[in-house]
């Protein structure tokens, strides 16, 4: 009797062990979903405007002091920026990818009425 109960208990535990394992399949509902990544453009200037292009979308913003601007992407691309200054000043433009890595951190002098154009390679890894 004792051996029979032990055998039944062993069979139940073994069957539970194999049924509780899950195997990843191609039918996973999230396997084809692309999650967006967020990067940051940090611009420090006293009176300037920034235009930038993410993939095929163009954006423009006026900056009074300094500002952090979030951009989203799902694949690698070339981020294009143009900083227009209304006065002669030093302008810092820093670009961070979705993992917080610095893509660029540049301090440059921009003359009044001129623009500084840059292109940065953003990797989606």
């Amino acid at each position: 009797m004792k051996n029979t109960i032990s055998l039944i208990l062993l069979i139940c535990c073994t069957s539970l062990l194999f049924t509780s394992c899950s195997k990843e399949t191609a039918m996973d509902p999230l396997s084809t979903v692309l999650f967006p990544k967020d990067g940051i453009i940090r611009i420090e200037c006293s009176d300037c405007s920034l235009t930038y292009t993410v993939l095929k979308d163009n954006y423009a913003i006026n900056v009074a002091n300094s500002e952090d601007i979030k951009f989203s992407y799902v694949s690698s691309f070339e981020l294009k920026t143009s900083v227009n200054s209304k006065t002669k000043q030093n302008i810092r433009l820093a670009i961070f990818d979705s993992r917080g890595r610095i893509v660029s951190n540049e301090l440059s002098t921009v003359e009044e009425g001129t623009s500084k154009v840059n292109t940065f390679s953003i990797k989606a890894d």
Side-chain angles (χ1 to χ4, degrees), residues 40-85:
I40 299 287
I41 300 172
R42 177 171 291 154
I43 184 163
E44 298 172 359
C45 64
S46 61
D47 190 17
C48 65
S49 63
L50 170 71
T51 58
Y52 62 99
T53 304
V54 176
L55 299 172
K56 294 181 181 180
D57 297 326
N58 298 316
Y59 302 93
I61 188 166
N62 289 320
V63 181
N65 288 321
S66 63
E67 195 153 340
D68 288 346
I69 303 152
K70 180 178 94 167
F71 63 93
S72 297
Y73 58 99
V74 293
S75 63
S76 298
F77 72 102
E78 296 290 320
L79 173 68
K80 296 176 183 149
T81 64
S82 175
V83 178
N84 298 316
S85 179

Side-chain angles (χ1 to χ4, degrees), residues 2 15 37 40 54 58 108:
K2 197 176 205 184
S15 65
K37 298 166 179 24
I40 299 287
V54 176
N58 298 316
S108 57

